[in-house]
Amino acid sequence: MKKMTLTTKILVSLAGGIIVGLLLFPLKNIPFVEHYIIGFFLKLGGSVFIKSIKMLVVPLVFISLTVGSSAIGDTKKLGRIGIKTLSFYLFTTAVAITIALVLANIIDPGNGLVIESISKTSTVVSDSKSFVDVLIDIVPSNPISAMAKGNMLQVIFFALLTGMGLTILGDKVSKIKDLFDQSNDLILELVNLIMQLAPIGVFCLIATTFSTLGYQAMVPLFKYIMTTLLALLIHVLVTYQGLLYLAAKINPIVFIKKFIPAISVAFSTSSSGATIPVNLEILREKFGVSKSTSSFTIPLGASINMDGTSIMQGVAVVFIASAYGIQLNMGDYMMVILTATLASIGTAGVPGAGPIMLSMVLTQVGLPIEGIALIMGVDRIIDMNRTAVNITGDAVCTLIIAKSEGEDISGEVKAELI
């Protein structure tokens, strides 16, 4: 096990948890199994892992967004390029999660999975508010109270405002910036430490699920995976390629052929940051994008463009709500879109942070965070695919921005442009 990567360990733990859970299922009413194996050992391992995730949510969001927004503030120096880039990334993120929510409601992957017996929770979906009240409530009257209560939209607002303030003050607050940068390094290391517990947590959580539900949990989980992958595919082929064709007049087939090396790196590493060099090389050498444009849009995209993660969050929200028998209304879905879009700024560069950031979205709409237990084990499978989606969006944005700025982006594919 020591020689395995974390991804492999989680997948092995997932398989082991399913097997153990199915073996325990016919024995679940035996007192020793019920009280000691399921009620003590499995509950202890799973609960500690979930509480560890909860512990990091607020500091992770606040610190990551503050650091991210302070860096994004520098885009003012790049004028309209910065505005275009930020608008593209936020727009496509909102579209991505909308696709996920619509598709998940049509397929309803959590249908047939009833888990109230696994985790009793007092969490309920809050009453729907008018749109103006939602906008008003984004501004916290007490940011410390917002953090304590886990009001994530208010935390996000305060973090973005803090980042903007740091940018405006510049060198006057260099020591505070350094403190936030160091705090960000610290919180990322804490995330890494918590993720080392993921194999144990996944094993215990999945084993508990299947020991209580038996085989009925397998079909909904498979539907969740397929729904997420289908939403990712639609976003890449329809949203990205549609925008690429309309705005940059580039043949989508040509783009995909030229971009396959970057997709392969993203799929194998599950890291947007690790794909930056090959992404830059392809855009500059195969499409002729200028160094000044690509050097800005690609690193920024690796920091804030999290369309794939947003899709996972959208499908997961519907899946968990259905599994717990909680009805979400249109106001709740709008809140998911808004929260996930804003949170995308702070998601990138945080290893294994997808499920952690999902807990923030679940908290905002009043869904049980314990529901993450159902998808944590298969998240690594989805992670590889959503990273490929993320970096594809970075490249599409770069090509569109370059085209809008009058650059000749034909490069060596001039004859293949539409």
Side-chain angles (χ1 to χ4, degrees):
M1 288 289 287
K2 290 183 179 180
K3 296 181 180 180
M4 293 182 182
T5 64
L6 181 60
T7 299
T8 303
K9 290 179 181 179
I10 291 177
L11 293 176
V12 170
S13 299
L14 170 65
I18 292 174
I19 294 172
V20 171
L22 292 176
L23 291 175
L24 292 176
F25 178 65
L27 309 174
K28 64 178 181 177
N29 293 324
I30 298 176
F32 178 79
V33 173
E34 180 182 4
H35 297 295
Y36 292 98
I37 297 180
I38 299 176
F40 180 78
F41 291 107
L42 295 181
K43 181 179 180 180
L44 177 64
S47 298
V48 168
F49 179 63
I50 288 294
K51 291 197 71 174
S52 298
I53 291 178
K54 291 181 180 180
M55 174 182 67
L56 292 179
V57 171
V58 171
L60 173 64
V61 171
F62 178 70
I63 294 173
S64 296
L65 283 180
T66 299
V67 172
S69 58
S70 65
I72 293 172
D74 293 337
T75 60
K76 293 181 179 179
K77 299 177 182 179
L78 297 178
R80 61 182 180 275
I81 295 180
I83 295 175
K84 290 177 183 178
T85 304
L86 290 173
S87 299
F88 179 91
Y89 285 146
L90 293 177
F91 169 73
T92 56
T93 299
V95 171
I97 194 169
T98 301
I99 291 173
L101 290 173
V102 171
L103 196 62
N105 273 280
I106 293 174
I107 298 176
D108 193 9
N111 185 33
L113 183 61
V114 182
I115 58 176
E116 7 351 15
S117 58
I118 295 179
S119 177
K120 297 294 183 181
T121 176
S122 59
T123 306
V124 294
V125 178
S126 56
D127 294 333
S128 178
K129 297 180 180 180
S130 65
F131 183 66
V132 66
D133 288 335
V134 171
L135 296 179
I136 293 173
D137 287 344
I138 291 176
V139 182
S141 57
N142 185 339
I144 304 301
S145 176
M147 294 180 187
K149 294 178 180 178
N151 190 321
M152 299 315 302
L153 279 181
Q154 294 185 357
V155 173
I156 290 172
F157 179 87
F158 185 63
L160 294 175
L161 192 64
T162 302
M164 291 174 60
L166 291 175
T167 300
I168 294 172
L169 292 174
D171 293 337
K172 294 181 181 179
V173 291
S174 59
K175 292 184 178 179
I176 298 179
K177 282 186 176 180
D178 291 339
L179 177 61
F180 269 101
D181 287 335
Q182 293 167 2
S183 298
N184 194 46
D185 292 337
L186 173 60
I187 202 69
L188 295 185
E189 185 59 32
L190 292 179
V191 171
N192 283 328
L193 291 175
I194 295 302
M195 289 308 296
Q196 298 306 311
L197 298 175
I200 298 175
V202 167
F203 174 83
C204 294
L205 293 167
I206 293 298
T208 301
T209 299
F210 279 88
S211 66
T212 307
L213 299 177
Y215 291 96
Q216 76 177 78
M218 298 185 71
V219 173
L221 196 59
F222 177 76
K223 288 170 63 179
Y224 163 76
I225 296 173
M226 298 310 298
T227 302
T228 306
L229 295 180
L230 180 58
L232 291 171
L233 185 63
I234 291 174
H235 192 55
V236 168
L237 297 182
V238 178
T239 306
Y240 284 157
Q241 303 312 313
L243 290 172
L244 186 64
Y245 173 76
L246 293 174
K249 302 304 179 184
I250 294 180
N251 188 322
I253 298 177
V254 171
F255 169 78
I256 293 174
K257 286 172 58 179
K258 301 294 183 182
F259 200 64
I260 283 178
I263 294 176
S264 300
V265 173
F267 190 83
S268 59
T269 63
S270 297
S271 171
S272 297
T275 315
I276 289 177
V278 65
N279 208 342
L280 288 172
E281 181 181 2
I282 290 174
L283 289 171
R284 292 172 184 174
E285 296 186 4
K286 296 188 176 182
F287 291 95
V289 177
S290 69
K291 183 176 180 180
S292 59
T293 298
S294 59
S295 294
F296 170 70
T297 56
I298 294 301
L300 181 60
S303 299
I304 71 169
N305 182 36
M306 293 290 108
D307 289 7
T309 303
S310 297
I311 285 174
M312 178 275 290
Q313 293 173 346
V315 177
V317 163
V318 177
F319 177 76
I320 292 171
S322 178
Y324 277 89
I326 298 175
Q327 294 293 324
L328 299 178
N329 55 39
M330 185 57 66
D332 298 318
Y333 290 130
M334 293 301 297
M335 188 68 70
V336 170
I337 294 172
L338 180 60
T339 306
T341 300
L342 294 177
S344 67
I345 298 175
T347 303
V350 183
I356 296 178
M357 301 303 285
L358 171 61
S359 66
M360 177 202 67
V361 178
L362 295 177
T363 299
Q364 189 60 41
V365 293
L367 291 175
I369 295 180
E370 289 78 7
I372 295 177
L374 295 170
I375 64 171
M376 187 68 196
V378 299
D379 184 67
R380 288 290 171 163
I381 300 173
I382 295 172
D383 191 18
M384 297 182 291
N385 292 276
R386 68 178 183 238
T387 302
V389 171
N390 292 339
I391 63 103
T392 301
D394 299 344
V396 170
C397 174
T398 300
L399 290 168
I400 291 175
I401 297 301
K403 182 71 173 181
S404 70
E405 291 297 310
E407 294 185 19
D408 179 10
I409 58 172
S410 57
E412 65 180 53
V413 294
K414 185 172 184 180
E416 296 172 309
L417 290 177
I418 295 178

